[in-house]
């Protein structure tokens, strides 16, 4: 195995050692959302024709857990290694900045997909879900988890203390994921809020992902896919450029 | 490349804002040397080590490990360098063996490294701790794991940045025994330490840094023989009086039956001093010559550099 694969494997083992916190807890949280919101709002919110609110909610909750856990994995691991100083043991090895990027992003993707799959499997106990395109479901899950894995690296590089990372998570990731159409179709919002939703990149992740289940979406799937791929490419280039320059890692 | 030095440092400058951490350092460390890097706090030792490890980028100059440039050929350079950091840093998620196994993996090493990891664990007296989480280890044990991590890829050059800081006497003895063994096996060892007696005991050649500059670079013997001073303790039968002014100036302390004087190694002779005392009519009962140790040389050189 190469250094990159070992770093990837180390990251998997790391979150595996605290899997109650990193995998099981987010699944339970999503299920609680599902139980509460579906019970309260079923029949009260208009979504797609022929789709129950509970079924509509499930893909949104899955993608929200993919987003939050993709971000949490790379950001928490990296910021911890950076602040405690043990990142030095990776920095003094022949691992390149590109390998470093792939190892952290890939590990984030694995965790995000594990949590997402867990939410899906658990939700299937309560609701019947149609599948329009497995390919699109996978594609958006992969792109979403990769975007957030890369964003987690950027946030961890930027943060000098845990508090700053928590601020990034609470003031950027959480609002963007909650206001991205997880719980509603943006067509049910006033015009202003619809427009605002369209500049939220997480909206396109959720809308595209939901299209994979129902074959229906708020914006055309080509646009969602294009926006998400562009976001992935731009964010990856930014992250690679920060890593290459040694931003806050090498003085 | 076959005869290149183990470490090449060529006119290296580094500033952190207004602070000039390294000022044109320029020297080499030969293969197989046991090299001491000494200096007071803030002298630039850690900056130099971090620059060699690729954690600090010099503003100018060149650094190479076994002939490989640490920037343009960093992969090759890093494969040949092991660094034991000064701080007790560790990943709290992992156990001792996992820590070493992952570290070897980062260097692309496969199963072939596992016998060497066992050997290291044994040499570091960690065999009964292999499955213990890093968090649960004592400071001394964590330090041993750090050394293991630095050695896990069998680097020809090993840098130890104050490895015995805060380590008890017994462990310090064990560590030096291991480091001596590594040196005996052909590794180039670069050591920074605050314990000057360690450098005096172990190192072949010593560089003294201060304020980012090189104050001295010499073999240990030559550094000690720089003729700074010796102290002569003389027990006499009575108080020495009427000593000539040239000798009286050198006296540090004088009592009824004792004279302590310092004199220059290059300018004075013990025999001449004794003859002068005898000529003053004083009977010499016993003498003891105390030479400066590395600490005195170190203090003198860094003080001179500041002046």
């Amino acid at each position: 195995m190469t250094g990159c694969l070992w770093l990837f494997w180390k990251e998997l083992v790391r979150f595996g050692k605290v899997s109650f916190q990193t995998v099981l807890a987010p699944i339970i949280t999503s299920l609680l959302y599902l139980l509460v919101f579906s019970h309260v709002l079923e029949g009260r919110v208009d979504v797609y024709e022929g789709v129950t609110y509970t079924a509509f909610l499930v893909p949104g909750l899955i993608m929200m857990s993919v987003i939050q856990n993709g971000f949490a994995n790379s950001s928490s691991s990296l910021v911890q290694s950076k602040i405690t100083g043990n990142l030095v043991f990776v920095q003094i090895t022949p691992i390149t900045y590109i390998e470093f990027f792939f190892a952290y992003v890939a590990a984030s993707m694995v965790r995000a997909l594990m949590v997402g799959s867990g939410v899906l499997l658990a939700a299937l106990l309560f609701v019947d879900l149609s599948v329009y395109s497995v390919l699109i479901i996978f594609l958006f899950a992969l792109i979403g988890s990769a975007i957030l894995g890369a964003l987690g690296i950027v946030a961890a590089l930027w943060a000098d203390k845990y508090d700053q990372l928590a601020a990034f998570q609470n003031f950027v990731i959480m609002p963007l994921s909650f206001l991205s159409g997880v719980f509603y179709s943006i067509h049910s919002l006033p015009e202003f809020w619809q427009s605002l939703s369209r500049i939220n990149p997480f909206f396109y992740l959720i809308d595209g992902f939901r299209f994979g289940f129902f074959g229906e979406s708020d914006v055309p799937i080509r646009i969602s896919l294009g926006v998400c791929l562009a976001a992935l490419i731009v964010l990856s280039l930014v992250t690679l450029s920060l890593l290459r320059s040694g931003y806050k890692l090498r003085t | 490349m076959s005869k290149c030095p183990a470490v090449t440092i060529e006119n290296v400058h580094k500033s952190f804002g207004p602070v000039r951490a390294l000022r044109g350092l320029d020297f080499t460390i030969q293969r197989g040397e046991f090299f001491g890097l000494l200096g007071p706090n803030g002298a630039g030792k850690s900056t130099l080590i971090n620059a060699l490890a690729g954690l600090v980028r010099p503003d100018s100059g060149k650094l190479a490990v076994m002939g490989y440039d640490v920037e343009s050929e960093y992969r090759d350079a890093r494969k040949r360098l092991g660094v034991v950091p000064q701080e007790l840093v560790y990943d709290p998620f992992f156990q001792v063996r996992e820590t070493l196994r992952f570290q070897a993996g980062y260097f692309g090493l496969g199963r072939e490294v596992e016998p060497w990891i066992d050997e290291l664990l044994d040499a570091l007296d960690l065999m009964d701790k292999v499955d213990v989480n890093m968090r649960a280890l004592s400071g001394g044990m964590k330090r041993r794991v750090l050394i293991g991590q630095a050695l896990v890829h069998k680097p020809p050059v090993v840098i130890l940045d104050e490895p015995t800081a805060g380590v008890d006497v017994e462990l310090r003895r064990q560590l030096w025994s291991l480091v001596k063994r590594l040196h005996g096996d052909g590794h180039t060892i670069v050591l920074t330490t605050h314990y000057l007696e360690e450098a005096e005991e172990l190192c072949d050649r010593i560089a003294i840094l201060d304020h980012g500059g090189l104050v001295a670079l010499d073999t240990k013997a030559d550094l000690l023989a720089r003729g700074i001073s010796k102290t002569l303790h003389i027990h006499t039968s009575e108080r020495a009086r009427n000593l000539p002014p040239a000798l009286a100036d050198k006296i540090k302390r004088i009592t009824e039956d004792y004279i302590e004087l310092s004199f220059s190694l290059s300018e004075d002779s013990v025999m001449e001093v004794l003859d002068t005392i005898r000529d003053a009519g004083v009977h010499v009962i016993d003498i003891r010559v105390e030479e400066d140790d590395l600490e005195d040389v170190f203090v003198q050189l860094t003080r001179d550099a500041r002046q």
Side-chain angles (χ1 to χ4, degrees):
Chain A
M1 278 211 298
T2 64
C4 175
L5 284 175
W6 274 100
L7 184 57
F8 168 63
W9 179 238
K10 187 270 282 184
E11 283 297 298
L12 295 190
V13 174
R14 189 198 72 87
F15 83 71
K17 287 192 179 230
V18 281
S19 55
F20 274 119
Q21 179 200 334
T22 54
V23 181
L24 196 60
I27 293 173
I28 302 289
T29 306
S30 293
L31 284 181
L32 288 173
Y33 279 129
L34 182 67
L35 292 177
V36 172
F37 280 86
S38 65
H39 183 72
V40 173
L41 295 177
E42 182 69 69
R44 294 170 189 249
V45 179
D46 288 333
V47 288
Y48 306 140
E49 207 174 315
V51 177
T52 64
Y53 177 72
T54 307
F56 173 86
L57 189 56
V58 170
L61 285 175
I62 294 172
M63 185 47 92
M64 189 169 82
S65 56
V66 165
I67 287 170
Q68 291 179 347
N69 286 280
F71 178 83
N73 200 67
S74 56
S75 62
S76 64
S77 173
L78 189 52
V79 86
Q80 191 169 43
S81 295
K82 198 176 91 167
I83 289 172
T84 58
N86 66 60
L87 190 64
V88 71
F89 294 116
V90 178
Q91 291 180 279
I92 61 173
T93 68
I95 290 174
T96 67
Y97 71 95
I98 298 172
E99 291 175 321
F100 184 94
F101 171 81
F102 279 112
Y104 272 89
V105 170
S108 287
M109 291 171 74
V110 171
R111 171 167 155 194
L113 297 179
M114 281 175 73
V115 176
S117 308
V119 175
L120 174 65
L121 291 174
L124 287 175
L125 299 174
F126 305 98
V127 60
D128 286 328
L129 266 183
S130 61
V131 173
Y132 176 76
S133 165
V134 174
L135 180 68
I136 287 179
I137 291 172
F138 264 106
L139 197 57
F140 274 86
L142 290 173
I143 295 171
S145 56
I147 288 175
L148 272 297
L151 192 59
I153 296 177
V154 174
L157 290 177
W158 165 76
D160 294 319
K161 42 190 183 176
Y162 295 110
D163 192 42
Q164 289 175 325
L165 184 64
F168 198 98
Q169 193 144 19
N170 290 321
F171 298 124
V172 180
I173 304 298
M174 286 290 274
L176 285 180
S177 56
F178 268 84
L179 301 174
S180 58
V182 172
F183 302 101
Y184 50 82
S185 159
I186 64 162
H187 287 135
S188 59
L189 294 175
E191 188 60 37
F192 172 76
W193 290 102
Q194 279 197 40
S195 309
L196 210 60
S197 295
R198 285 176 200 276
I199 58 169
N200 176 359
F202 294 178
F203 158 72
Y204 297 92
L205 283 172
I206 288 176
D207 200 49
F209 188 66
R210 197 173 267 142
F211 180 88
F213 287 89
F214 308 119
E216 268 191 85
S217 52
D218 288 345
V219 297
I221 184 70
R222 278 178 288 121
I223 292 179
S224 294
L225 191 58
V227 170
C228 294
L229 278 175
L232 177 60
I233 291 166
V234 169
L235 199 59
S236 298
L237 291 176
V238 168
T239 314
L240 284 166
S241 149
L242 290 177
L243 289 172
R244 183 166 184 268
S245 71
Y247 172 70
K248 292 201 179 179
L249 290 181
R250 298 182 199 277
T251 48
Chain B
M1 199 157 281
S2 61
K3 289 189 178 173
C4 61
V7 176
T8 308
I9 300 157
E10 278 179 19
N11 198 23
V12 174
H13 288 266
K14 176 68 184 177
S15 294
F16 296 105
V19 179
R20 293 180 65 194
L22 300 176
R23 303 169 185 240
L25 283 186
D26 199 310
F27 59 93
T28 56
I29 299 169
Q30 299 306 319
R31 291 180 181 208
E33 268 196 288
F34 204 130
F35 191 90
L37 199 55
L38 307 186
N41 286 332
K45 306 181 300 286
S46 291
T47 304
L48 178 61
I49 289 171
N50 288 339
L52 282 166
L55 300 170
V56 163
R57 287 184 172 139
D59 300 329
S60 62
K62 184 191 166 191
L63 291 156
V65 176
M66 300 300 278
Y68 292 100
D69 189 282
V70 302
E71 290 206 49
S72 60
E73 300 167 297
Y74 72 94
R75 286 172 68 97
D76 286 311
R78 290 182 196 171
K79 280 179 191 168
R80 288 157 181 82
L81 180 67
V83 180
V84 183
Q86 200 177 117
E87 291 82 20
L88 277 183
V89 287
Y90 61 95
D91 194 326
F93 280 87
F94 300 107
Q95 297 155 358
V96 172
R97 188 190 287 279
E98 284 176 322
T99 299
L100 295 183
R101 187 62 194 90
F102 281 125
Q103 193 64 31
Y106 301 157
F107 286 88
L109 299 172
R111 285 189 179 174
E112 73 280 3
V113 79
E114 282 173 16
W116 170 239
I117 290 178
D118 283 337
E119 212 177 307
L120 270 177
L121 287 166
D122 192 39
L124 292 163
D125 206 13
L126 287 167
M127 264 306 188
D128 56 341
K129 303 286 178 192
V130 290
D131 296 324
V132 174
N133 187 286
M134 290 294 295
R135 272 178 305 194
L137 295 183
S138 67
M141 286 177 187
K142 287 189 184 109
R143 178 77 63 188
R144 285 186 242 177
V145 180
L146 289 186
I147 295 175
Q149 283 178 272
L151 298 177
V152 81
H153 57 295
K154 296 189 178 176
V157 182
V158 181
I159 299 179
L160 301 113
D161 193 0
E162 300 199 18
T164 49
V167 165
D168 67 37
V169 177
E170 173 61 17
L171 177 59
R172 198 181 300 173
R173 202 180 53 73
Q174 284 177 16
L175 291 182
W176 291 137
S177 154
L178 175 70
V179 174
K180 279 180 184 169
R181 207 182 101 193
L182 289 168
H183 183 235
D185 291 344
H187 290 266
T188 304
I189 308 288
V190 181
L191 166 73
T192 80
T193 176
H194 268 124
Y195 300 103
L196 296 178
E197 68 272 23
E198 287 180 351
E200 195 170 338
E201 187 192 331
L202 297 161
C203 300
D204 308 321
R205 232 161 36 110
I206 290 168
I208 298 181
L209 303 187
D210 196 20
H211 286 96
L214 191 61
V215 176
L217 172 61
D218 225 328
T219 61
K220 179 177 62 189
D222 285 344
L223 214 48
L224 289 169
R226 283 206 168 192
I228 291 169
S229 63
K230 285 188 179 187
T231 302
L232 198 59
H233 304 269
I234 304 166
H235 287 274
T236 55
S237 57
E238 61 201 276
R239 188 179 181 97
R241 299 178 202 280
N242 304 322
L243 292 173
L247 192 61
D249 289 348
K250 299 178 191 295
I251 292 175
K252 288 159 76 177
R253 197 156 68 94
I254 184 164
T255 64
E256 288 306 312
D257 60 352
Y258 172 75
I259 307 171
E260 181 183 325
L261 52 85
S262 74
F263 67 103
S264 162
L265 196 66
S266 54
E267 292 167 15
D268 300 318
S269 136
V270 176
M271 293 315 292
E272 281 177 18
V273 170
L274 292 178
D275 286 345
T276 309
I277 292 170
R278 277 197 211 101
D279 290 348
V282 177
H283 181 57
V284 174
I285 297 172
D286 187 25
I287 65 163
R288 184 166 60 87
V289 180
E290 185 187 354
E291 292 194 21
D292 274 354
D293 61 12
L294 194 55
E295 188 159 342
D296 299 309
V297 177
F298 174 84
V299 169
Q300 180 85 29
L301 287 171
T302 50
R303 191 170 55 207
D304 288 351
R306 283 168 198 204
Q307 283 166 359

